[in-house]
């Protein structure tokens, strides 16, 4: 049978016309169509099958449910018949009630969604949200970074360096552990990151030319430095005018075991110390503040301190 004849046949039944009108606004499941039209499930399924055969309707599975919608990509000649047929269907005696029921069903869908978000408002930021992660936020924020030259000081294996290297012009990762440098270099090579270079060196005198860097990052590294104030001064020297320092470190704490467990030299820093060292080194626009707190004991807090040369 030609597609025109199939369409005409599919549209020749008042029940199928009612369904076509209902699928005009939104996709609907068989259950929803049942509730709206007050018809039995098998009757609806049969009619949907015929409309699908004529390619006037398409379906989409979501979990256990199937949603039906108008096939907007249907053959042009098929669509030609749909408009007048649907217009005629508005004269059917069931049309008014169908529309009232449709509005009710669609409103209920919205209410259910709102109910969920209303229930979790106030807890949402701390609860699980599918697909939502700090990693994803980080990747998004990276895209607004200009092509910078970055020094990642006390880089470790280069978790952050690798992330930055995917966007930045060049990343120089500095660490005083030979093994970290060797491991990080091999990983960067394996991942094809040609703009990421690992160098063996000390935080207090990083192996970088003066005024050669746009951004210097010290992530959980400063509390390993012998002299944190001197490290901040050294970073000031290697930054270009306008360059920025970003220190992520632990807020001062009393968890002595951190020395043994994590090899820490300092038990975090007071915000006032970081502020003082940055200002004394000559940084402008200094900002220091706590940006995260752990829920588990010993409740480490992370402080972010930044400044501009
Ligand atoms: C806690 S890890 C942080 C690694 C990385 N920045 C991160 O956030 O995942 C500290 C790193 O600093 C390095 N480190 C410790 N003292 C250092 C020093 N004086 N100079 C350079 N690197 C140092 C260690 O080898 C280690 O890789």
């Amino acid at each position: 049978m030609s597609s025109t004849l199939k369409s005409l046949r599919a549209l020749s039944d008042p029940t199928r016309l009612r369904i076509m009108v209902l699928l005009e606004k939104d996709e609907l499941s068989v259950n929803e169509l049942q509730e709206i039209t007050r018809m039995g499930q098998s009757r609806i399924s049969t009619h949907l099958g015929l409309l699908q055969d004529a390619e006037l309707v398409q379906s989409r599975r979501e979990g256990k449910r199937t949603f039906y919608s108008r096939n907007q990509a249907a053959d042009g000649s098929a669509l030609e018949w749909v408009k007048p047929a649907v217009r005629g269907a508005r004269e059917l005696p069931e049309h008014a009630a169908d529309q009232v029921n449709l509005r009710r069903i669609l409103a209920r869908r919205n209410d259910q969604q709102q109910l969920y978000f209303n229930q979790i408002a106030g807890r949402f930021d701390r609860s699980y949200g599918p697909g939502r992660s700090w990693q994803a936020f980080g990747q998004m924020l990276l895209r607004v970074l200009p092509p910078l030259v970055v020094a990642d000081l006390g880089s470790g294996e280069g978790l952050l360096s690798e992330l930055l290297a995917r966007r930045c012009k060049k990343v120089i990762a500095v660490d005083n552990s030979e093994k970290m440098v060797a491991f990080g270099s091999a990983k960067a090579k394996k991942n094809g990151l040609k703009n990421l270079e690992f160098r063996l060196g000390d935080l207090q005198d990083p192996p970088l030319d003066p005024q050669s860097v746009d951004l210097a990052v010290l992530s959980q590294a400063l509390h390993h430095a012998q002299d944190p104030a001197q490290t901040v001064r050294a970073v000031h020297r290697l930054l270009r005018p306008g360059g920025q320092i970003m220190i992520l470190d632990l807020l001062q704490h009393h968890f002595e075991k951190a020395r043994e467990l994590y090899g820490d030299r300092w038990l975090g820093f007071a915000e006032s110390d970081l502020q003082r060292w940055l200002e004394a080194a000559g940084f402008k626009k200094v900002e220091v503040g706590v940006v995260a707190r752990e829920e588990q004991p010993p409740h480490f807090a992370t402080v972010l301190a930044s400044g501009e040369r």
Side-chain angles (χ1 to χ4, degrees), residues 152-161 174-178 180-181 199-205 217-226 231 248 262-265:
D152 183 6
L153 306 172
S155 61
E157 297 169 6
L159 182 70
L160 185 60
S161 301
V174 176
D175 205 284
N176 72 347
S177 154
E178 278 181 28
M180 286 285 189
V181 168
R199 295 183 190 169
L200 188 67
D202 197 275
L203 286 171
Q204 278 173 225
D205 187 17
V217 180
L218 294 100
S219 166
Q220 303 306 332
L222 194 62
H223 61 251
H224 294 285
Q226 195 179 344
T231 301
L248 276 171
Y262 312 118
D264 290 1
R265 194 188 284 263

Side-chain angles (χ1 to χ4, degrees), residues 55-121:
E55 295 179 7
L56 295 173
V57 159
Q58 60 191 2
S59 61
R60 174 180 78 82
R61 272 198 83 80
E62 197 181 282
K64 286 185 183 159
R65 291 197 298 176
T66 305
F67 287 94
Y68 295 86
S69 60
R70 287 262 202 99
N71 182 8
Q72 303 299 349
D75 187 281
S77 60
L79 287 176
E80 227 177 279
W81 305 113
V82 171
K83 270 192 193 165
V86 160
R87 220 177 308 129
R90 296 202 176 106
E91 290 163 19
L92 289 168
E94 297 90 348
H95 179 72
D98 279 357
Q99 289 302 306
V100 171
N101 288 337
L102 175 66
R103 278 196 293 278
R104 193 170 46 77
I105 296 289
L106 294 180
R108 191 182 64 193
R109 261 199 217 164
N110 277 345
D111 288 349
Q112 274 167 351
Q113 211 179 51
Q114 275 179 12
L115 185 73
Y116 169 72
F117 285 113
N118 280 340
Q119 271 172 352
I120 62 163

Side-chain angles (χ1 to χ4, degrees), residues 149-153 170-174 208 213 215-218 238:
V149 175
V150 180
D152 183 6
L153 306 172
K170 175 150 181 100
V171 178
I172 301 132
V174 176
L208 286 146
V213 165
L215 171 67
V217 180
L218 294 100
L238 59 87

Side-chain angles (χ1 to χ4, degrees), residues 175-193:
D175 205 284
N176 72 347
S177 154
E178 278 181 28
K179 288 218 166 155
M180 286 285 189
V181 168
F183 188 87
S185 302
K187 191 152 68 83
K189 195 170 171 197
K190 191 172 139 222
N191 292 336
L193 295 167

